[in-house]
Amino acid sequence: MADEAELEAAEQWELVNTPLGEKWSGRTRYAAAMFFYKRGEMSAETLEVYRICARLDSENPLPIIRDRGVGKDWLKRIGFE
């Protein structure tokens, strides 16, 4: 049986992958990104891109993270090449 922390992480993983264009999806992704940042699993520079994109529901933060040359570990984890 998974413990509470594992369940929370799984839920936040789903939220950080909320599809682009859904209403409030940018804010949802940013809130979930904050969860991973607080756990030490995301850099401040990567989190900043999610913050910038928070009000832009159709903006994909992943190419921006890549283009800024930050968050390489995060991009690999999330499956963005």
Side-chain angles (χ1 to χ4, degrees):
M1 183 169 147
D3 67 5
E4 263 186 61
E6 290 173 350
L7 291 173
E8 177 69 11
E11 180 180 339
Q12 295 300 321
W13 183 255
E14 287 183 28
L15 294 173
V16 82
N17 285 290
T18 299
L20 299 173
E22 290 185 7
K23 189 173 182 179
W24 297 98
S25 62
R27 289 171 178 88
T28 299
R29 286 187 295 276
Y30 175 52
M34 180 65 75
F35 171 85
F36 291 105
Y37 170 74
K38 287 182 176 181
R39 287 173 49 124
E41 299 176 22
M42 177 185 289
S43 70
E45 296 84 4
T46 300
L47 179 64
E48 176 64 7
V49 174
Y50 279 93
R51 186 194 67 78
I52 291 166
C53 294
R55 298 187 69 194
L56 308 169
D57 295 336
S58 295
E59 188 70 43
N60 188 347
L62 302 177
I64 298 168
I65 293 166
R66 180 199 58 213
D67 293 348
R68 288 185 173 199
V70 300
K72 289 181 173 78
D73 290 339
W74 179 254
L75 292 175
K76 184 176 180 181
R77 179 176 175 185
I78 207 161
F80 184 83
E81 303 297 328

